[in-house]
Each structure stands twice: as structure tokens, then as C-alpha cells.
Amino acid sequence: MPMPILSTKLYIPTPRSKVVLRPSLIEHLNDGMQRKLTLVTAPAGYGKTSLVREWLAECLQPVAWLSLDKADNDPVRFLKYFITALQTTEENIGAGMLALLQSSQSLRVESIITALINEITAIPHHIILVLDDYHVIDSRPIDNAISILLEHMPPKMHLVIITREDPQLPLARLRVRDQLIEVRTPDLRFTFNEAAEFLGEVMGLNLSSESITLLESRTEGWIAGLQLAALSMKGHKDPDSFIKSFTGSQHYVLDYLVDEVLQQQSEYIQTFLLRTSILDRLCGPLCDAILLNGDVKPIPPFCSGQQILEYLERSNLFIIPLDEDRCWYRYHHLFAESLRNRLNQSISSDLNDNVRGVADLHIRASVWHEDHGLEMEAFHHAVVAKDIGRAARLLEGKGMPLHFRGEVVPVVKWLDSLSYEELNARPSLWVIYASVLLMVGKVTYVEEKLQAVEKAMKGVKQDVTTNDLIGHIASIRATLAVSNNQVEAIIAESRRALEYLHPDNLPVRTATLWTMGYAYQLQGEREKAGKFYSEALSTSQKIGHVMITIMASLGLGNIQEMENRLYSAAETYRGVLNMTGDLPLLVACEAHLGLARLYYEWNDLDAAMLHGQQGVHLAKRFEQVDRVVSGEVFLAKLKLTRGETSGVTASLAQADYLARQYSLEFLIPKITAVQMLLLLREGNLTAVAYLAQKHELPISASQVYLALGDTSAALAVLEPLLSQAEAKRWEDELLKILILQAVSLYVHGEKGKAVQILVDALTKAESGGFIRIFVDVGMSMYRLLYEAATYGYMPDYIGKLLAEFKVEELKGGVKSAQCLVQSANLLIEPLSARELEILHLIDQGLSNREISERLFLALSTVKGHNRNIFGKLQAKSRTEAIVCARKLGLL
């Protein structure tokens, strides 16, 4: 089997035949290597690619070469080839991104380039990247991505763009910064001397100076015209007379000379050129399939398509080798275009009865490509041949449909071109249509396609195939429901999908397993969710469904977080980021937000802020409002923790507005919870109590009661919550409840019981490295931890937590909701952590000397703290201080 077509786009064609050297241009190009961009731009046929080939043939630096065609306007296809080209210079660059491109359409080409720049920067050697035929690119995302590359290009990289017209890139800015070198049409036109050398030494013609001057003038130094003229003159006894026989524009000259060139070839070679012109890339066996399929027999000295290709190359017949082994070739674009025009014009006379027009040639090409595992190319030729049945079968693929492999844009274009009648005749195409639209984010149009297929299937006998379509429809609807957190719809449609889908339809079944896991997670059925995520992960890894592998991994990370296995969750989230290759993807957004939550809990607030901001930034780029709201709410809480209250109110108001505007009611409780934290900090208990009651937030309600000093009410709220969390095995909720229960009991005066429950909470929290869940409770927790420490419980973990309180005190951040409210209303100045510690020891009856010995403080220091305590509590003695502290709930 010949090498895959993918690799043929990446080979750097090196000169094989003798060419005219252009020393001045080569020197000009060498001088430009210190700049970012070399732009070679001129109309077709001016030798742009040949010049760059000649230049790079002597270059000692690694070169990545990417020849572009119109199909590369599909950003995913472009990215695949772009990364694969770079891998010819550095094997592992972009490996993770390339895998993702096989299964995701939510990737943005600009984002991939940004991630690649970071990897290119780490490459130890210089590289040159050539983008040939860039004029075929008519894609704003691709232009934007290359602009980003040029703006942030590593010093060890140089970009070469070969094009027929100026690209939509910031050329003016590059010129001003002296980062651009340009080679244009006047630079590429052959002078008289160069034309004479080319016609004489390369093409073997003996022409007079007058004829060379006339030919150079007529072609305007156009190398393609010179070459075609030289080929045409080989059949004329009087070349000088031939030169005088044609005039006109380049297009006219091209048409005229191609006709002349064809007439000089044998009928067999003419037939070969015309028929194989339908191919973007040629190899011997493929040409045999197109030409030598029983209706045209080879004639000596040719026995195979490979021999003909080699003959064409030796004859300089506008054919370009695409690999070192001379296995794959392509025609010069102008030559191929002209040949195709002639093929269409002469279809009835030049092709015999065994060939039913150009469509038959495309079918032959499609069959060959399919037989050699090149399904996308086979699909392309079937589409051109308008063979809907064959195109549909190829699109559905063998186990993994083409659109699941990343080839979405050509699939969408083809489906858009089909009529309702053609789609109704093959209901599976409606389903694929809906699936592709879902992948590219056109959610609005998905349901109408699903309804169209259901209408088309009415009256159709139900069998294995139709059942699989019913299952696929249900799976798509389940995914639609995921975006709106519609639990019942997700479960109902997912179950229907799994019931009807064929057992071998693993890609869709795997996606459905993930939607089931998501639904059960929303319901709080975490064990079931974990099982579905695990099964989806296992199957997706086996079949190479990268996107579901990532989504299932994220789901498992969420479950690990809920089970208080924070280190495992962090490893999972980091694994997701490794799979994405640091790409700015929506899935990367969720991994960043997950890590932000974990770093917050570990009290690494800087890392939490960094990941939180990255997550929100990505969510905004992908217009995912629910993730934006969740991320902004987290950042608001983080700012409150850091004491940065400025802008928090506005951020929460905006989050609330977005949640209501986009019907994201499930996010309102999260927003309200942070609003209540802000109100508690401000001492506005009335508003906090109202919000807790209105939104039915029992845990927040218990915090309000605790702040008010009504510990009985707080404990009454927490008791049923504890039973529920234990029954459902909600480890994260259980830990929160135990901590609040312990503090409430401590403030209530039941210190022994409080310590026992605290130890239970500490036991659950230690393996996960929890910190903030304790520190955020405030000084009541500090005193309770200190109490537990006096009994010798878990000295290492409690010691670490007490140390974190000390650090927090230095930042001015340790304040419980109770202290915040009561200090704001009644105290001149809140007590510090050390003052509260001494107040606690005074309450135990210790003398100043005993306190100094216990805390390793000088006696004078203890007395100084006493004076501060009395002043803040407006007390004149120890007894008065204790009474006042009890009234304030500080003891």
C-alpha cells in the first residue's frame, strides 16, 4: 500500500531536474532569515515554489513544509496538517493536540496556535515552517491564528508563506518593525539572461537572441509560459516562427500552450493526463485504477502508471514529486486546472463507452482510496461524483463516522447541499446532520433535524438499522438536555438510546454512558454516576474516542472531589490538561475551575486565583454562560477570602443577571451563598436571614443562627442534614455539617461533645489536606481546635491548622461570621487571635503567670494583652471581661 496522502502534504520537494539558479534572490532570502516572515507572492506560474525549494535545498536547518489546498479551510483539517508538518522537525510537538482534533469540534485554531507557540519555544534548535499556496485559505480563524503566531513567534522559528495574493495578515506592522522580507512578481520575472539560460540549458533549445527577447517579452518573464512554450516548440521544425504565432494575456497563452503541449504527446499520454487531472495527488497504483481499468491498455514503453509519472517528471511536464521516494506527485495547479477544463469539454470524444463521464472517474478514485484506508479522500470523490449512496456509506464509516474523526466542515457542506428529498431517502443522513450541528455548536437547528428524520421514518419497517437510528436520535437529545441540566430528560433519552443503539455502535453508546453519568451526578447519585463515568472512560480509551475520554475523566474528577479525595481529583484534572495539551478548550476550562477549587481548599490562594481566572477566560471565549457564572462566583468568594471586597457586589449582581437571563436557575443557590458571605462580613444579618429562608439554604441558615448566638436553632437545622448526608454518603456535605455542628456545640457550651465531633471531621478531612473548610469558620474553630489539641488529638494535623490560623491572622483574615457581625456592631476593635487565645485561658481560670508559661510569653507581654482585651471589651476586670465575652458569643 502506498504511503498515506496525509504525509504527501508535508514533504519538501527538492529540485531533481536542472534549474536556473537565482543567486541574487537566494542571497536576498538568506538575509531575511533574521526576520519573522518571508513572503513570496506572485501570480501562478512564476516559480514561487521552485525558488523556495531551491533555497531550502541548501539550508541546514530543519524545515516543515505544508502544501495547502481548498479543503484546508476547514480549521480542524488545517490544524492536523499544521501540527503534523511541525512533527517532521520535532517528533512529539503537539501530540496531545493532534489526538484531540480527531474527536472534538469545539477547538479554535487560534487557541491551538497559542498552545503550540509554547511548545515551539522549548525546541532547542531553529526551524523553518513553509506554508505553500496560502492563497487558497479563506478562513478568518486561520488568518487570525497565523497572525498570533507571527506576533508571538519564538526567536528560533522562521515562517515562509508562498501565495498568489497578499494574505490577510498584519503585513504593514511587520514592515514597520523590519520583521518582513518580500519577494514579489518583479523579483521573480526571468530576465533575458535567465530566460536564455533556462531555454538553452534546461529545455535544450537553440534559439536566436531575437526569439528569446520576443518570448521573454510575450511571457513577461513568466516561467510557466516559458516552460510551456519550450515544450510546445519541441514539435516544431522552426521554433522562431512558432514564437511569433501567439500573443495575448497569460490566460490566453496558457490555454494555447497547454493545447500545444498536449498535441506533442501520444494519444495514450494525453488520455492519462486528462483522466488523472481529477486527482489532487497521484501515485502509480491510483493512476492505474483510474486509467488502466480494462478500457485503456498501456502501450510500450509504459507498463504502469508509476512509469508514466516518472516519464512526466523527466519531461518537465508540470508534475511535482511530493516525497523522496517519488511515490506521490501532483500536477502544477495551473496545468491541472487547464487539463480538467479540457476533460469536461471533450468528455464525449476523448473517453470511450466504458467510461460514463467524469463521475465514473471519481467513483474509480473513491473505490481505490477506500480500499487503501483513505476514507476522507474516498468520501470527497464520491461527493464530486454525486453518488449519494456511496458518500453516505463512507460518511458513516467503519465503527467511527468521519465527523467523529474531525472532518466536520466538508461533511456539513455536503449535507447542506442535499435536498429534503435526498435526505428523506436516507434518514441516517438527517441523524448525522443533527450530530454534526451539535458538534459545531449550532444547537438551535438540531431539534428540527431530529424531527425531520422521525417524520421520514414514519411507516418504515423497524429493524436493526432503524433501531440504531432511534437510539442515536435519543443520544443527541440527551446531550442537548445536558446543556440545560434537565435531569429527567437526560436520563429518559439516555436510557432510550442505550435500549435501541446497536451493541457495535460504540462511539454513540460511549457518549450516552457519559450523559447518564452526568444526570446521576446532578441527582446526587454519585455512586451510580461514578460507575457510568468509569465505563465510558474505559470504552472511550479502547476505541480512541478522545473527547469522551476527557469528559468522563472530568466527571470522575468531580466525583473524587465530592468524596473528599482531593489529591486524586487534582491528579485527574491535571491529566485532563495534559490530554488537551494546554489548549484553551471548554474542557480545559472545567479542569482549571476544578483545580481552582482544590487550591482554594489547600489555602494556596494565588494558585486558586490563577486557575480560576484561566477557567473564566476560556468560558467567555466559548460563550459558555453557565461556566462563566460558576467561575465568577468562585472568584468573588476567593476575593472575599483575600479581603478584596471591591467589585464583589457588582460581580455577583452580574452573575445573578446572567443566570436568570439564560434560565440557569440551578446556579442561583451558589450565587446566593456568596452574597450571604458578603452580607455577613458587612454585619447585615437581617438580609442574610431573608436570603437563607427564601432560597432554602439550610447550611447557610445554620451559619446565620450561629452568628446570632442561637446555637440551639443552628443545631436543630443541622441534625436532619446530617442524617441525610450520612444516608446518601455525601462525604463533602457530611464534612461541612460536622464542622458546623462541632462549632455550634462548642459555642453552646458542650465542649466535650464538640471536640469528639471535631475529631470525627478531622479524621475525614486529613487525607484530603483540607484547610480552608476549617479556617473559613473563624475564631470559634480556632478555639475549638486549640481545645482539641490540649487533649492530644491528631497533633500534626491540628498543629498545621492552628499554624494556618496564625498566618491568616497576620493577613488580617481570620474572622468568623459571629465575630464579624458582633464585632462590627458592639466592639470598638475585634480581638486578635492571640487575644482570643488568652481570653480563653482566662476563662479556664489560669493566672497571668500560668498563661505566660503555657504560651511561652513574657509576663509583661501577657499583661499587655490583658489591657488590650479589657479595652476592647470595655471591661475593668477579668470577671467583667468574661461576662462581656460570653454575651458577645466569644466564649
Side-chain angles (χ1 to χ4, degrees):
M1 181 186 296
M3 69 174 59
I5 284 182
L6 175 62
S7 64
T8 69
K9 296 171 67 69
L10 313 177
Y11 169 67
I12 306 170
T14 54
R16 185 176 184 181
S17 303
K18 186 177 179 183
V19 298
V20 176
L21 295 177
R22 314 284 302 274
S24 60
L25 274 181
I26 298 299
E27 183 178 353
H28 181 54
L29 289 168
N30 286 334
D31 290 342
M33 282 298 295
Q34 302 305 315
R35 298 172 175 86
K36 287 186 175 183
L37 173 64
T38 294
L39 179 66
V40 183
T41 176
Y46 271 91
K48 301 182 293 295
T49 298
S50 298
L51 172 68
V52 176
R53 283 162 50 197
E54 178 185 324
W55 168 43
L56 294 181
E58 304 299 324
C59 181
L60 299 178
Q61 298 176 11
V63 179
W65 187 293
L66 177 55
S67 296
L68 300 166
D69 55 44
K70 288 184 178 180
D72 295 324
N73 279 290
D74 174 5
V76 172
R77 179 185 173 100
F78 176 86
L79 291 172
K80 287 180 184 177
Y81 288 137
F82 190 93
I83 294 172
T84 308
L86 289 174
Q87 288 179 343
T88 63
T89 67
E90 188 71 19
E91 183 178 359
N92 296 320
I93 190 169
M97 308 173 210
L98 197 58
L100 271 177
L101 290 168
Q102 299 294 334
S103 59
S104 173
Q105 286 304 308
S106 60
L107 312 183
R108 295 193 176 194
V109 63
E110 303 98 320
S111 304
I112 299 285
I113 294 294
T114 302
L116 278 173
I117 289 171
N118 296 327
E119 295 196 30
I120 294 170
T121 303
I123 296 177
H125 52 76
H126 287 77
I127 62 170
I128 300 172
L129 172 63
V130 182
L131 299 179
D132 195 5
D133 292 328
Y134 194 84
H135 54 270
V136 302
I137 296 300
D138 185 22
S139 169
R140 176 54 59 185
I142 294 176
D143 287 336
N144 290 342
I146 299 303
S147 298
I148 292 171
L149 175 64
L150 288 167
E151 182 68 24
H152 304 285
M153 184 181 291
K156 294 182 179 180
M157 183 178 184
H158 184 74
L159 179 64
V160 180
I161 291 180
I162 306 173
T163 177
R164 295 182 188 176
E165 57 190 37
D166 281 2
Q168 298 298 311
L169 301 175
L171 300 181
R173 185 164 68 237
L174 292 170
R175 287 191 193 99
V176 170
R177 296 177 179 176
D178 194 28
Q179 295 172 340
L180 169 67
I181 184 170
E182 300 174 79
V183 175
R184 294 187 172 274
T185 303
D187 305 308
L188 293 168
R189 286 192 178 114
F190 270 31
T191 64
F192 171 84
N193 290 335
E194 289 170 337
E197 182 182 354
F198 174 75
L199 293 168
E201 296 188 18
V202 177
M203 302 307 294
L205 294 174
N206 184 19
L207 301 176
S208 65
S209 296
E210 181 184 0
S211 292
I212 294 173
T213 300
L214 183 58
L215 189 57
E216 189 270 332
S217 175
R218 292 277 171 83
T219 61
E220 298 180 352
W222 181 40
I223 181 58
L226 289 170
Q227 186 176 1
L228 278 166
L231 289 169
S232 302
M233 282 185 281
K234 288 186 176 182
H236 289 264
K237 295 181 181 179
D238 187 0
D240 292 325
S241 298
F242 172 81
I243 292 172
K244 297 176 183 178
S245 66
F246 70 89
T247 58
S249 66
Q250 287 184 358
H251 287 297
Y252 174 81
V253 171
L254 175 67
D255 292 340
Y256 178 80
L257 292 180
V258 167
D259 282 340
E260 289 292 327
V261 170
L262 283 175
Q263 289 176 14
Q264 301 303 315
Q265 308 303 317
S266 68
E267 182 180 353
Y268 178 70
I269 294 298
Q270 289 187 46
T271 302
F272 181 95
L273 289 170
L274 289 170
R275 293 194 183 186
T276 57
S277 68
I278 70 163
L279 302 170
D280 292 327
R281 293 168 183 82
L282 310 88
C283 69
L286 173 56
C287 293
D288 291 339
I290 297 294
L291 190 79
L292 311 176
N293 199 18
D295 55 297
V296 178
K297 298 296 182 183
I299 59 173
F302 309 115
C303 297
S304 68
Q306 183 63 34
Q307 288 182 325
I308 300 172
L309 291 172
E310 292 172 359
Y311 160 76
L312 296 176
E313 184 186 2
R314 289 194 303 271
S315 302
N316 284 315
L317 265 172
F318 291 90
I319 193 167
I320 300 170
L322 294 173
D323 59 67
E324 294 178 352
D325 299 325
R326 261 54 183 184
C327 177
W328 286 97
Y329 296 81
R330 73 168 174 85
Y331 290 126
H332 186 286
H333 294 311
L334 282 177
F335 190 62
E337 182 181 345
S338 184
L339 288 175
R340 288 168 188 160
N341 289 337
R342 278 150 186 75
L343 175 65
N344 290 325
Q345 293 168 6
S346 59
I347 194 68
S348 59
S349 58
D350 287 349
L351 299 179
N352 61 38
D353 293 337
N354 290 327
V355 179
R356 300 184 309 278
V358 178
D360 188 71
L361 298 177
H362 281 289
I363 294 299
R364 292 183 182 187
S366 179
V367 171
W368 187 91
H369 282 104
E370 182 183 8
D371 290 344
H372 289 77
L374 300 168
E375 287 91 350
M376 193 59 222
E377 289 75 11
F379 171 74
H380 163 73
H381 284 287
V383 168
V384 176
K386 299 188 184 302
D387 188 334
I388 297 177
R390 179 173 185 78
R393 180 177 59 77
L394 289 166
L395 172 55
E396 291 172 359
K398 299 176 181 178
M400 187 71 73
L402 291 183
H403 58 290
F404 281 177
R405 307 179 199 182
E407 304 289 355
V408 170
V409 172
V411 171
V412 170
K413 287 183 178 178
W414 179 59
L415 292 171
D416 284 342
S417 72
L418 298 180
S419 66
Y420 266 73
E421 291 73 21
E422 290 168 329
L423 289 166
N424 285 335
R426 293 173 176 81
S428 62
L429 292 181
W430 278 120
V431 178
I432 293 176
Y433 207 167
S435 177
V436 172
L437 291 174
L438 185 63
M439 291 177 70
V440 297
K442 295 183 178 180
V443 179
T444 308
Y445 304 99
V446 172
E447 181 58 33
E448 69 178 48
K449 309 303 180 192
L450 297 180
Q451 292 178 11
V453 68
E454 289 175 332
K455 183 178 179 181
M457 289 172 61
K458 282 184 178 179
V460 176
K461 183 179 179 181
Q462 205 162 315
D463 56 16
V464 174
T465 301
T466 55
N467 280 346
D468 191 64
L469 288 180
I470 293 171
H472 199 165
I473 292 169
S475 178
I476 293 172
R477 284 193 170 125
T479 307
L480 282 173
V482 163
S483 61
N484 295 317
N485 277 17
Q486 297 170 334
V487 178
E488 293 78 7
I490 300 173
I491 293 178
E493 295 293 348
S494 297
R495 285 175 175 170
R496 180 175 172 81
L498 294 174
E499 177 185 353
Y500 281 91
L501 282 168
H502 192 280
D504 294 337
N505 193 346
L506 294 180
V508 181
R509 292 188 71 88
T510 305
T512 308
L513 291 173
W514 173 78
T515 58
M516 283 290 286
Y518 189 88
Y520 281 123
Q521 180 180 330
L522 291 177
Q523 281 191 325
E525 298 283 349
R526 299 170 182 179
E527 187 174 348
K528 287 184 179 180
K531 288 180 180 179
F532 276 102
Y533 284 147
S534 296
E535 187 177 351
L537 179 61
S538 174
T539 306
S540 63
Q541 288 174 330
K542 289 178 183 176
I543 66 175
H545 202 324
V546 180
M547 203 63 199
I548 295 301
T549 297
I550 292 174
M551 298 306 296
S553 296
L554 280 172
L556 285 175
N558 289 332
I559 298 299
Q560 290 164 342
E561 220 179 319
M562 294 173 181
E563 292 174 346
N564 295 339
R565 296 188 290 138
L566 304 193
Y567 294 110
S568 297
E571 185 178 350
T572 301
Y573 292 139
R574 293 189 189 108
V576 169
L577 292 180
N578 287 336
M579 282 188 277
T580 63
D582 292 328
L583 290 177
L585 304 175
L586 182 56
V587 288
C589 146
E590 297 198 19
H592 279 301
L593 291 177
L595 285 170
R597 293 190 297 270
L598 297 178
Y599 279 116
Y600 176 88
E601 189 51 58
W602 292 329
N603 209 22
D604 187 344
L605 302 186
D606 290 337
M609 180 64 75
L610 176 64
H611 282 286
Q613 289 174 336
Q614 285 180 299
V616 171
H617 173 69
L618 293 176
K620 287 180 178 178
R621 291 189 63 177
F622 284 90
E623 298 179 358
Q624 294 293 322
V625 180
D626 57 335
R627 275 83 168 187
V628 172
V629 172
S630 295
E632 291 288 7
V633 170
F634 169 81
L635 291 176
K637 178 182 177 182
L638 179 56
K639 289 176 182 178
L640 280 176
T641 300
R642 291 160 64 109
E644 303 167 3
T645 57
S646 176
V648 171
T649 301
S651 296
L652 291 174
Q654 176 66 11
D656 186 75
Y657 170 77
L658 289 174
R660 297 181 190 281
Q661 182 183 12
Y662 290 92
S663 301
L664 304 173
E665 287 81 6
F666 63 95
L667 291 175
I668 298 298
K670 293 183 179 180
I671 300 170
T672 304
V674 180
Q675 288 174 331
M676 292 172 68
L677 289 178
L678 179 60
L679 292 169
L680 280 172
R681 179 175 290 273
E682 296 170 349
N684 191 343
L685 283 182
T686 303
V688 173
Y690 169 76
L691 289 175
Q693 183 178 11
K694 177 183 176 182
H695 294 281
E696 298 181 357
L697 301 173
I699 289 182
S700 296
S702 69
Q703 292 173 314
V704 174
Y705 287 130
L706 186 58
L708 289 169
D710 191 348
T711 52
S712 297
L715 291 168
V717 170
L718 292 171
E719 190 61 37
L721 295 179
L722 181 66
S723 301
Q724 182 187 53
E726 288 175 335
K728 294 188 174 183
R729 302 183 199 177
W730 289 354
E731 294 298 327
D732 55 342
E733 295 296 311
L734 182 58
L735 181 57
K736 294 176 189 175
I737 295 165
L738 287 174
I739 288 172
L740 287 173
Q741 190 179 46
V743 172
S744 298
L745 286 168
Y746 181 73
V747 176
H748 194 65
E750 298 184 42
K751 296 181 180 180
K753 189 175 181 180
V755 169
Q756 291 300 319
I757 292 177
L758 175 65
V759 171
D760 189 11
L762 290 168
T763 303
K764 292 179 178 296
E766 184 177 21
S767 61
F770 284 85
I771 295 174
R772 285 301 330 176
I773 198 169
F774 294 99
V775 174
D776 285 344
V777 174
M779 291 311 301
S780 297
M781 174 55 68
Y782 176 82
R783 295 194 298 274
L784 178 55
L785 285 167
Y786 189 86
E787 184 85 29
T790 61
Y791 291 98
Y793 290 115
M794 305 178 70
D796 293 339
Y797 190 28
I798 290 178
K800 179 181 180 180
L801 292 174
L802 289 173
E804 293 289 347
F805 272 93
K806 295 290 186 183
V807 172
E808 200 77 3
E809 179 193 358
L810 294 175
K811 298 177 183 177
V814 182
K815 298 180 181 71
S816 67
Q818 186 180 26
C819 286
L820 283 167
V821 174
Q822 294 177 339
S823 295
N825 291 336
L826 301 175
L827 290 181
I828 298 172
E829 182 183 351
L831 299 182
S832 69
R834 176 65 79 184
E835 289 164 354
L836 282 167
E837 188 175 21
I838 291 174
L839 180 63
H840 179 83
L841 296 176
I842 291 174
D843 184 43
Q844 293 180 12
L846 274 66
S847 66
N848 287 341
R849 185 170 297 281
E850 289 172 328
I851 293 174
S852 69
E853 293 173 354
R854 173 77 66 88
L855 300 180
F856 302 100
L857 296 175
L859 182 60
S860 60
T861 301
V862 174
K863 290 180 179 179
H865 281 305
N866 282 346
R867 288 192 295 272
N868 290 338
I869 293 170
F870 296 164
K872 291 178 181 180
L873 296 177
Q874 301 180 51
K876 296 179 180 179
S877 65
R878 281 184 161 218
T879 303
E880 279 190 36
I882 295 300
V883 171
C884 183
R886 289 191 185 283
K887 288 181 179 179
L888 293 173
L890 299 178
L891 293 173

